[in-house]
Amino acid sequence: MERVEINEGGLLLRPWAAPDAAAVHRACQDPDIQRWTSVPTPYLREHAIDFVTVRAADAWTHGHSAPFAVCDAATGELLGSCGLVTIDPRLKSGEIGYWTAPWARGRGVTVRATRAVCRWAFEQLGLRRIIWQAALGNHASRLVALRAGFRVEGRLRRADTRPGEPPDGWIGSLLPADLAAPPDAEPRDQPGHHPGPEPRQRPGGGAMTGRRTPFAGRGSMLARRAAVFGHDQPVLFATARPAGTPGQPEPAGEIRLRAPEPKDVPEIVTACRDPETVRWVDLPDPYLASDAEGFVTGYAPTLWAGGDGAVFTIADHSDRYAGTIALRLSPADPAVADVGVLVAPHARGRGHCAAALAAVCAWGCTTLGLARIEWKAQVGNLASRRAAERAGFVIEGVARGGLSHRGSRRDAWLGAFVPEAAGVPGAAGVPGAAGVPGAAGVPGAAGVPGAAGSAPVARGAGETAAG
C-alpha cells in the first residue's frame, strides 16, 4: 500500500521514521499507555526502534494496517499515534487505534487525528465501516471515539485477557455518514469552546437532530463522568448517629464507604443469610460464598469500570464490613439513578444506613450530576423507610407490584432524593444533564456477569432492619 501523509486540523499525519524512536520511547513510559494498550511492559528503547523502523514499515508494505505518527503541522513535534490497526479489504472495514503522548493531552489532538484517518480511509481506501474497541474502563479512549463520531454499540464479553483488568470491552463503529464535518471545522472539544445545549440522543449515541453536535464535548455529562469513572473508586466518609438522637454530643462513629474487597466475603454471606435479609431482599436462598465472591470480584468492579454506577462497602471505624450500598445509573435517563442498601445484622440500629444513603446521594448529585435518585422497599419494611427519610428521601407513594421477590411481585414504597430539596448541589448547569445518553446501548447491571443472583443488594431494595 502506498504511504501517504495527511495534513488536517493543524496536524501532520505521516508514516513513522527512525528519528521518532526517542519520542515514542518517552511517550510509552506513560502508565496509562502501558495499562490500556498492547505495548510491551517495560517499554524499552529497542521496542521503539523496532516499531518505527520495522513493524510500521512492514504494515504499509503488506497493506494490513496503516500506522501514522501524529505531529504538530507547524513544529513537527510528535504528539501521538493514530491509524488503522487492521484493514479487511474483503469486508471493506478497518479498526482504529490511537494513543496520545502525555505532553499533548487536553488539546483535542487525537480526536482530530482520528477524524482525519477515518476520512482518508473512507475516501481513499473505500472502506464502508471502521470499528473502535477499548477495554472496559478506558473512558479516555471512549470519549475520543464519541467525539470523533463513533457510536458505542455495546460490550464484548471477555475481550480483554490482561490480568487485573475487567475482562469485557467496548465496541463501536463509524460509518461515512457519521463523519459529516468539513475538514476545517473547529473541533467542538477544544479548550475555550462552549458546547452549548446538547440535542436529545438516540440510545447508542446518534443525535436526534440533523445537526452534528458532539454530546461528549468538554463540560458535557459524559465528559464529567468519564473523569470520575476513569479513576479509582473514591472513599467516602460519613458520621453515623443512632435514630432518635439528632443532637447527641458524641456521634456513634465514622463510617467509610469504599470499594468491596475479598475480605468482606464472609461478612456478606452472613448478612445475606440473615432472616430479615431473606424476608425483604430478593437474593439466592441459600446465599453461598461463591455468590459473594462473584459480587466482589465481578459485578462491583465491572459496574464501576463501565461507568454504570458504584458499589460501596459500608465499613466501620475498624474497617469491618457493616453493609453494602449500590448506586446504579438509569440506562434510560442519565440524570436519574436508583439506590439499594443492606446493613449487616451486627451493625443495625447504629445509623449506618441513613448515613451511607446521605453520603452516596450527595456524592452522586455533586460529582455525577444526578438530578434524582430513587429508592424502593417492600411495603412494611419500616426500618428501611425510616432510614431513607432520615437521609433526605421523600416518599412519593406505592408502586403496585413494584419489586420482584422470589418469583412474585410485591408492592413497594417509592421515594426520591432530589438535590435541590435536600440542599445538595445537583445537575444544574451541566450541559446535557437532561439529554445525554449515559449507559444507553451499553448493557448495564442486568447484563454483567454476576449481577443476576449474586449481588447482596437487589435492585431497589432497602435496608433489611433498623438503620
Side-chain angles (χ1 to χ4, degrees), residues 26-49:
R26 176 186 168 203
C28 290
Q29 303 310 304
D30 175 64
D32 286 333
I33 290 179
Q34 295 195 11
R35 177 182 181 184
W36 297 117
T37 73
S38 58
V39 301
T41 303
Y43 195 82
L44 308 177
R45 183 172 177 81
E46 47 262 41
H47 292 135
I49 295 172

Side-chain angles (χ1 to χ4, degrees), residues 7 18 73 96 104 107 205 234-235 327 392 431 440 456:
N7 199 318
I96 194 75
R107 294 151 51 184
V235 177
L327 183 74

Side-chain angles (χ1 to χ4, degrees), residues 385-435:
R385 174 169 176 163
R386 290 173 185 141
E389 289 176 324
R390 288 182 62 205
F393 283 81
V394 174
I395 307 304
E396 298 179 334
V398 174
R400 293 184 296 171
L403 285 175
S404 173
H405 190 79
R406 309 192 190 287
S408 64
R409 304 296 302 185
R410 303 286 180 86
D411 291 351
W413 283 315
L414 174 64
F417 183 99
V418 177
E420 292 80 6
V424 175
V430 179

